[in-house]
Amino acid sequence: MNTRLTRTLASATFALATLCGLAFVGTGVTHLLDHGAVCVQTGFWTNAPLADPLPIGSGVQASASAARLCRSSPSVGQRAAELGSELPWLLFGTLALLFFSQLLKAVLEQGPFTESVSRRLSALGWFVTAGTLLTGLVAGWSQSWLVGSMAPIVGSGPTLTGPLVLVLGGLAAVIMGKIMREGVRMREDLEGTI
């Protein structure tokens, strides 16, 4: 096992988690202090011919070519919904990187084929699987609500957004964690009989 590479990866992962956490806090603070327009992308009008005016709320500007809606004086709910489509993914990334950093730390301290490492790998997998779905639902709901608040006819309802392929990676980590746990048990049984 290359401990120098693992130590470097653990340090880099922790540094990335710290940067994501700072981006989370910075994005939240700057959006709370910002008094500018709130904009949202929607795919509702992307392929529609627009002979009639768009069915948008008062005070909303729309760009049909980009399917982009903007409100120059948003409500508190609209500003929160804009944050709801950005902040959950930053929080998810921060926590996933922290889980991975802890996994690498356990590998350095105990070796790769231990009970602790297999448990941490499974925990990381479950977090990525459930976290991707929950984060995608929160971000999708926030975006749908924001679009619906600017163009009431659209009302597409909650959707899942984001890289949903991460669910497969999370499930693979859960399975690998269970395989590693069985391998650790088999090795302990073999050592006990010798």
Side-chain angles (χ1 to χ4, degrees), residues 127-192:
F127 176 78
V128 169
T129 300
T132 298
L133 295 173
L134 182 63
T135 304
L137 188 61
V138 168
W141 180 82
S142 294
Q143 183 177 3
S144 295
W145 187 88
L146 186 56
V147 169
S149 73
M150 291 187 195
I153 289 179
V154 175
S156 63
T159 58
L160 283 171
T161 62
L164 296 178
V165 72
L166 289 175
V167 171
L168 296 175
L171 290 174
V174 169
I175 292 168
M176 287 304 299
K178 289 187 183 290
I179 290 171
M180 283 179 64
R181 190 171 300 130
E182 288 302 315
V184 167
R185 286 188 188 131
M186 288 173 62
R187 187 183 71 191
E188 289 172 354
D189 289 345
L190 184 62
E191 287 174 355

Side-chain angles (χ1 to χ4, degrees), residues 11-168:
S11 298
T13 302
F14 186 76
L16 284 173
T18 303
L19 286 175
C20 280
L22 289 173
F24 173 80
V25 171
T27 301
V29 168
T30 56
H31 273 67
L32 287 175
L33 300 176
D34 185 20
H35 297 292
V38 168
C39 296
V40 65
Q41 290 284 128
T42 178
F44 188 75
W45 294 296
T46 302
N47 295 321
L50 299 173
D52 298 327
L54 297 173
I56 57 175
S58 62
V60 175
Q61 298 172 344
S63 169
S65 61
R68 183 177 169 92
L69 302 170
C70 291
R71 179 173 216 115
S72 57
S73 56
S75 68
V76 173
Q78 288 171 326
R79 189 156 309 279
E82 181 189 32
L83 276 174
S85 61
E86 294 178 35
L87 286 185
W89 286 111
L90 285 172
L91 181 61
F92 171 76
T94 300
L95 294 175
L97 286 168
L98 283 175
F99 268 96
F100 189 62
S101 176
Q102 291 301 311
L103 172 68
L104 291 174
K105 186 177 175 183
V107 168
L108 280 171
E109 291 172 356
Q110 302 166 6
F113 301 106
T114 61
E115 182 75 24
S116 175
V117 171
S118 66
R119 276 188 283 118
R120 288 180 192 222
L121 182 60
S122 291
L124 173 65
W126 281 119
F127 176 78
V128 169
T129 300
T132 298
L133 295 173
L134 182 63
T135 304
L137 188 61
V138 168
W141 180 82
S142 294
Q143 183 177 3
S144 295
W145 187 88
L146 186 56
V147 169
S149 73
M150 291 187 195
I153 289 179
V154 175
S156 63
T159 58
L160 283 171
T161 62
L164 296 178
V165 72
L166 289 175
V167 171
L168 296 175

